[in-house]
Amino acid sequence: MTETTLTPQQLAETCADAMFSRDHASQGLGMRIQSVAPGRAVLSMTVREDMVQGHGNCHGGFIFALADSAFAFACNTYDEATVASGCSIDYLGPGQLGDVLTATAEERSRRGRTGIYDITVRNQHGQEVALFRGRSYKIRGTVRRLEETAAESQA
């Protein structure tokens, strides 16, 4: 399939596949891509024992990592390499051992080289655990070209 025949949905899925194949951090934390669409991504992660902090809850850094990964996949669905320029998170409730946390990232604005994305993290009961807002910045290159470059350097 040539680039000109890809629908926006197919492009988003192709970009997600290319990024996830290189994303050892998200893979190592057990994250799974549930869905992607242009400007949107849904990722999930099960809270493991090694993610629990001294108060018996999921460490906030792991919740942040899940939200940040969903943000990254959402803002890279257009095959334009995009990175975070800033973000903030508000924790609303704890994640518990065994919880399945789901981060839903949604594009709010995308103009020129910048974008704004809101990410909601919920547990398997639909309770909000965190709200994350990310600001993106488009850099040079494409998501899929990075995949080709990585493959060429390993050959």
Side-chain angles (χ1 to χ4, degrees), residues 107-117 136-138:
E107 182 179 279
R108 297 295 182 224
S109 173
R110 182 171 163 263
R111 295 182 184 147
R113 296 176 71 107
T114 63
I116 297 173
Y117 294 77
S136 68
Y137 185 78
K138 187 173 27 168

Side-chain angles (χ1 to χ4, degrees), residues 72-123:
F73 281 94
C75 66
N76 279 281
T77 56
Y78 303 102
D79 201 24
E80 298 173 333
T82 304
V83 297
S85 65
C87 59
S88 64
I89 191 166
D90 292 298
Y91 298 101
L92 307 176
Q96 303 292 327
L97 177 63
D99 277 355
V100 177
L101 302 179
T102 301
T104 302
E106 297 176 302
E107 182 179 279
R108 297 295 182 224
S109 173
R110 182 171 163 263
R111 295 182 184 147
R113 296 176 71 107
T114 63
I116 297 173
Y117 294 77
D118 285 334
I119 298 83
T120 303
V121 179
R122 291 184 173 87
N123 65 18

Side-chain angles (χ1 to χ4, degrees), residues 47-62:
V47 178
R48 305 181 311 220
E49 190 171 350
D50 62 343
M51 297 175 172
V52 175
Q53 40 82 316
H55 292 295
N57 301 316
C58 183
H59 190 287
F62 293 108

Side-chain angles (χ1 to χ4, degrees), residues 27-56:
Q27 291 176 32
L29 292 174
M31 292 182 200
R32 295 173 306 280
I33 299 173
Q34 301 300 319
S35 66
V36 294
R40 189 173 197 282
V42 180
L43 273 67
S44 65
M45 174 183 79
T46 300
V47 178
R48 305 181 311 220
E49 190 171 350
D50 62 343
M51 297 175 172
V52 175
Q53 40 82 316
H55 292 295

